[in-house]
Amino acid sequence: KLRETLEVVRYDKRMETEDIDHKRIERELRRALIEGHGLEVHYQPIVPANPGAGPTRYEALARWTSPELGKVSPERFIKVAEATGLILPLGWKLLDLVCADMCLLDKARVSINVSPTQLMSRGFAEKFTAIVLSHGIAPWRIEVEVTEQIVVRDDATIEQELIALSHNGFTLALDDFGTGFASIGYLTQMPFDGLKIDRSFVRSIEDGQQGMRMVRSIVGLARAMDLSIVAEGVENEAEAVLLRRIGADYLQGYYFGRPAPASAWVKDSPTPKGP
Ligand code: C2E
Ligand code: CA
Ligand code: CA
Ligand code: CA
């Protein structure tokens, strides 16, 4: 009985601290959006599995350092931003940053994460397109990544906005494939161009035949539907070798490079010449 009570107390305490954290993150995030600093975007390379597959692409990943809270992980602040609606202004701010960085990344394609809340706001695709075009960037250079959460929401606006994005020339990828509820069947109904196999599956291929078979069948189905396949969270050579063999088109993970500012990926940058 006592132990039960203690468990409850401990649980309450944890909820409370999470609540306070949530409030502080919300307040500081609001401030960051008004003052316009502390927010950054890092880029992680998405490399072709085989030389024929095309040039290296990048995934844009949000980074935030608050003067009060220090570095806050995107897992945490994106969650708060989603719950409070701050994801809308935050998303536009991040899109501006990405567009500005894309001139550094030369002709490379960049993937941008878009959350279900963003897609549920009517006119999202139109505004997204207008911002990209205002920077003089061709839509085909941008891929929009959405998680399987959109399937759970089953929202008509989300579908409309995805169709509009695709119509406007952006490519669409289903992120974290295998962790949620999206089926390959769902992928055929929506204008997706590719899927990203979640790193939990990538991890499983080294565990033996079961994992290997699973990833192989995902790749087979995706291939049959003409979807491009990115394997996420590749951390070592063994995984890379197996994923190439299975037939993934692109590989992404710490093995190939950690997220870093756009300037870190600038190739052949002219060395400044002194007088
Ligand atoms: P995600 O879209 O699945 O992004 C991939 C995450 O895996 C990134 O975490 C990346 O740093 C991490 N990662 C990459 N390679 C490896 C690896 O080899 N091993 C392991 N263990 N991890 C790896 P990050 O940057 O912390 O982002 C976390 C999540 O936050 C993202 O997951 C995405 O859902 C969300 N997020 C990040 N930036 C944005 C954004 O601008 N907008 C939205 N809506 N969500 C974002
Ligand atoms: Ca992603
Ligand atoms: Ca992912
Ligand atoms: Ca994830």
Side-chain angles (χ1 to χ4, degrees):
K1 187 88 201 134
L2 176 66
R3 207 167 122 194
E4 240 170 60
T5 317
L6 282 176
E7 282 298 322
V8 169
V9 170
R10 205 173 299 147
Y11 183 73
D12 276 355
K13 254 219 154 78
R14 203 188 62 217
M15 293 301 284
E16 227 166 73
T17 18
E18 265 185 16
D19 215 46
I20 293 166
D21 276 2
H22 185 106
K23 288 256 151 60
R24 290 180 69 200
I25 290 173
E26 179 183 353
R27 195 184 58 226
E28 293 306 313
L29 197 53
R30 245 176 236 289
R31 179 151 37 171
L33 284 166
I34 292 165
E35 292 172 1
H37 47 71
L39 287 162
E40 263 189 288
V41 180
H42 284 190
Y43 299 84
Q44 185 177 34
I46 304 175
V47 305
N50 299 295
T56 294
R57 296 155 36 182
Y58 297 90
E59 178 173 3
L61 294 158
R63 295 292 179 262
W64 178 38
T65 311
S66 130
E68 290 287 314
L69 308 169
K71 273 201 174 99
V72 185
S73 81
E75 306 269 7
R76 292 180 71 205
F77 73 80
I78 296 286
K79 198 161 100 191
V80 173
E82 282 240 35
T84 53
L86 285 174
I87 192 71
L88 288 170
L90 176 63
W92 299 129
K93 168 78 185 161
L94 294 169
L95 181 61
D96 261 332
L97 293 174
V98 172
C99 287
D101 281 341
M102 280 183 78
C103 59
L104 281 176
L105 296 168
D106 199 27
K107 292 194 168 55
R109 301 189 54 212
V110 172
S111 299
I112 296 177
N113 294 284
V114 168
S115 72
T117 316
Q118 290 171 281
L119 289 165
M120 280 199 281
S121 78
R122 212 171 279 280
F124 176 82
E126 200 182 327
K127 185 164 177 185
F128 190 94
T129 308
I131 291 175
V132 169
L133 293 180
S134 77
H135 279 87
I137 294 165
W140 62 264
R141 282 186 62 197
I142 294 181
E143 178 149 283
V144 172
E145 292 189 9
V146 295
T147 67
E148 295 190 33
Q149 280 299 314
I150 58 154
V151 185
V152 186
R153 303 285 180 101
D154 186 30
D155 181 281
T157 308
I158 292 184
E159 296 197 357
Q160 279 165 23
E161 299 300 325
L162 284 177
I163 290 165
L165 284 169
S166 171
H167 180 82
N168 291 351
F170 299 97
T171 58
L172 304 180
L174 193 62
D175 202 356
D176 305 338
F177 188 81
T179 58
F181 302 88
S183 62
I184 294 269
Y186 177 80
L187 279 164
T188 57
Q189 290 162 35
M190 296 298 292
F192 281 103
D193 303 279
L195 61 83
K196 300 186 80 172
I197 301 176
D198 191 70
R199 66 168 172 267
S200 55
F201 282 94
V202 168
R203 210 60 71 242
S204 77
I205 59 173
E206 279 186 295
D207 299 346
Q209 288 307 305
Q210 185 93 29
M212 189 80 178
R213 267 203 298 270
M214 189 112 81
V215 176
R216 208 188 279 281
S217 62
I218 294 174
V219 170
L221 283 164
R223 175 80 56 242
M225 291 173 43
D226 210 22
L227 293 166
S228 112
I229 304 142
V230 177
E232 290 192 296
V234 183
E235 289 184 353
N236 56 54
E237 166 118 49
E239 288 170 350
V241 167
L242 289 173
L243 287 160
R244 270 192 200 104
R245 195 174 299 159
I246 294 173
D249 299 301
Y250 282 88
L251 309 176
Q252 177 183 3
Y254 294 162
Y255 179 65
F256 296 100
R258 292 191 180 244
S263 55
W265 304 114
V266 179
K267 278 173 220 105
D268 315 312
S269 54
T271 40
K273 293 189 176 77

